[in-house]
Amino acid sequence: MTRAYVAETGNGSAEGERSGSRVRRLLDGWRGGPGIWRRGLVLAGLAVLIALVMLVHAKIPNRIGNLGSLTETFLPWLGLFVPVLLGLALWRRSATALIALVLPAVVWLNLFGGLLTDKESKGGNLVVATHNVNADNPDPAGTARKLIASGADVLALEELPGSAVGAYERALAGTYPHHSVQGTVGLWSKFPLSEAEPVDIRLGWTRAMRATVNAPAGRVKVYVAHMPSVRVKLSAGFTARQRDASADALGDAIASDPLKKVVLLGDLNGTMNDRALNNITSQMRSTQGAAGNGFGFTWPAAFPMARIDQIMVKGVEPKSSWTLGRTPSDHLPIAARLKI
């Protein structure tokens, strides 16, 4: 028994020595030599470059392929480079790269850190929802049932083909007795609507509308909009000129509206960071940014990478904002609880 005990003690000691030697070798690789400062200069340069792109994204010109708007659409995803570069810096044992990585990490947290916290608060007296249902949606009735389950008092739909309008009207009629369809967008409400009309966003056909919702808590003007689509092409870059002109027109209409309590629901084909939407975002708040939890990405539905569907408010207080479950559309529906 004594011999067995001694043998076990010896083995443990040897194993401890081997473990300790590995730790010492690892530490020795990080100290004492100038190599930790000379290694990883390329990684450090990439870290600084990523930080600069996030810092000065508004200065990236749109003259060549709308590169600035394209960068701003996917700006949050630049943060993924930080852990990747961190792993490479540790592998290279580069103190220079590790220090440089502090810069993009701090910039990203400054830009988007607030979106990672839950800002939901209690209260509210109006629930709104919006969904680009997709013109090729094979199940309008099923999509309508999922949207009704959200509990929305006011529901906006975009990309309504004429052939499917009747199906949506029948499916939603029992919950929303008041509605108006203008062109390819529509508004359904539990409360009476008035002054429903199309909004000219310089397209030549109707993809935006507005109506006054006469809710128990007060009157609010609701805009529904579907901005022109954008495309990423190798030959032309981020083609968004028509979208940009329509966004300017919509912003002008909202700014001149005599009713100061305004809600915008729709597929804007742009994020809150995209400068092309400045005429809208400069006067309205995103419910997701003010009262949501997370980024609230909506497109593409299979793997959401950007929030291009928006609920924005002016003169109204957002209390909560969230993304709804998937439907047959390529967009996710979104909802928000507001206080008029």
Side-chain angles (χ1 to χ4, degrees), residues 67-79:
L67 183 60
S69 287
L70 178 61
T71 302
E72 289 163 342
T73 297
F74 300 103
L75 196 62
W77 292 93
L78 289 179

Side-chain angles (χ1 to χ4, degrees), residues 14-26:
E15 183 178 341
E17 288 177 0
R18 287 195 296 270
S19 176
S21 65
R22 284 196 296 267
V23 173
R24 283 194 297 271
R25 285 197 300 270
L26 180 63

Side-chain angles (χ1 to χ4, degrees), residues 218-306:
R219 298 168 68 243
V220 59
K221 183 64 64 69
V222 177
Y223 282 73
V224 184
H226 183 194
M227 294 291 102
S229 298
V230 298
R231 298 286 186 269
V232 180
K233 301 178 181 179
L234 291 177
S235 59
F238 193 59
T239 57
R241 186 171 302 171
Q242 196 172 40
R243 188 278 312 267
D244 299 352
S246 292
D248 286 341
L250 180 62
D252 290 343
I254 293 171
S256 61
D257 198 297
L259 192 56
K260 299 307 177 186
K261 294 182 178 180
V262 180
V263 177
L264 170 60
L265 306 170
D267 173 8
L268 302 189
N269 271 309
T271 68
M272 293 295 295
N273 295 314
D274 192 336
R275 74 194 69 176
L277 302 184
N278 280 351
N279 204 26
I280 301 171
T281 57
S282 62
Q283 58 179 314
M284 307 189 80
R285 286 199 295 167
S286 162
T287 58
Q288 187 67 22
N293 180 14
F295 290 95
F297 293 150
T298 62
W299 177 88
F303 187 81
M305 298 183 65

Side-chain angles (χ1 to χ4, degrees), residues 205-223:
W205 69 96
T206 301
R207 285 176 57 150
M209 64 168 290
R210 61 186 165 199
T212 300
V213 175
N214 299 286
R219 298 168 68 243
V220 59
K221 183 64 64 69
V222 177
Y223 282 73

Side-chain angles (χ1 to χ4, degrees), residues 3-323:
R3 286 193 297 274
Y5 178 79
V6 171
E8 289 177 6
T9 302
N11 289 339
S13 176
E15 183 178 341
E17 288 177 0
R18 287 195 296 270
S19 176
S21 65
R22 284 196 296 267
V23 173
R24 283 194 297 271
R25 285 197 300 270
L26 180 63
L27 293 176
D28 289 342
W30 279 93
R31 68 188 178 198
I36 62 172
W37 300 105
R38 292 197 296 264
R39 289 190 296 263
L41 294 181
V42 173
L43 296 176
L46 288 174
V48 173
L49 178 61
I50 292 168
L52 286 175
V53 170
M54 290 189 288
L55 276 172
V56 301
H57 63 86
K59 303 296 184 182
I60 299 175
N62 260 344
R63 291 188 298 274
I64 303 174
N66 281 291
L67 183 60
S69 287
L70 178 61
T71 302
E72 289 163 342
T73 297
F74 300 103
L75 196 62
W77 292 93
L78 289 179
L80 289 180
F81 286 101
V82 174
V84 172
L85 291 177
L86 174 61
L88 291 174
L90 291 173
W91 177 66
R92 290 282 292 146
R93 292 183 296 186
S94 169
T96 302
L98 287 177
I99 293 173
L101 276 170
V102 173
L103 185 57
V106 169
V107 174
W108 190 92
L109 287 172
N110 182 61
L111 290 173
F112 305 110
L115 293 173
L116 303 180
T117 60
D118 188 354
K119 297 171 287 300
E120 179 180 1
S121 59
K122 295 181 179 180
N125 45 33
L126 185 71
V127 177
V128 299
T130 181
H131 188 29
N132 179 327
V133 295
N134 193 325
D136 298 322
N137 191 317
D139 187 14
T143 298
R145 286 193 296 270
K146 289 184 178 182
L147 296 173
I148 290 171
S150 70
D153 300 308
V154 176
L155 172 65
L157 301 183
E158 303 87 48
E159 205 168 299
L160 287 169
S163 59
V165 169
Y168 285 106
E169 288 176 331
R170 290 189 294 272
L172 295 170
T175 304
Y176 303 100
H178 311 281
H179 85 281
S180 175
V181 175
Q182 306 284 338
T184 61
V185 297
L187 185 65
W188 277 259
S189 174
K190 294 179 179 179
F191 313 121
L193 298 176
S194 60
E195 304 171 308
E197 61 182 357
V199 175
D200 182 10
I201 55 172
R202 304 173 190 166
L203 284 176
W205 69 96
T206 301
R207 285 176 57 150
M209 64 168 290
R210 61 186 165 199
T212 300
V213 175
N214 299 286
R219 298 168 68 243
V220 59
K221 183 64 64 69
V222 177
Y223 282 73
V224 184
H226 183 194
M227 294 291 102
S229 298
V230 298
R231 298 286 186 269
V232 180
K233 301 178 181 179
L234 291 177
S235 59
F238 193 59
T239 57
R241 186 171 302 171
Q242 196 172 40
R243 188 278 312 267
D244 299 352
S246 292
D248 286 341
L250 180 62
D252 290 343
I254 293 171
S256 61
D257 198 297
L259 192 56
K260 299 307 177 186
K261 294 182 178 180
V262 180
V263 177
L264 170 60
L265 306 170
D267 173 8
L268 302 189
N269 271 309
T271 68
M272 293 295 295
N273 295 314
D274 192 336
R275 74 194 69 176
L277 302 184
N278 280 351
N279 204 26
I280 301 171
T281 57
S282 62
Q283 58 179 314
M284 307 189 80
R285 286 199 295 167
S286 162
T287 58
Q288 187 67 22
N293 180 14
F295 290 95
F297 293 150
T298 62
W299 177 88
F303 187 81
M305 298 183 65
R307 184 180 175 89
I308 62 174
D309 302 271
Q310 306 290 350
I311 299 177
M312 302 175 67
V313 298
K314 180 171 72 170
V316 175
E317 184 181 356
K319 290 293 185 178
S320 181
S321 185
W322 64 97
T323 303

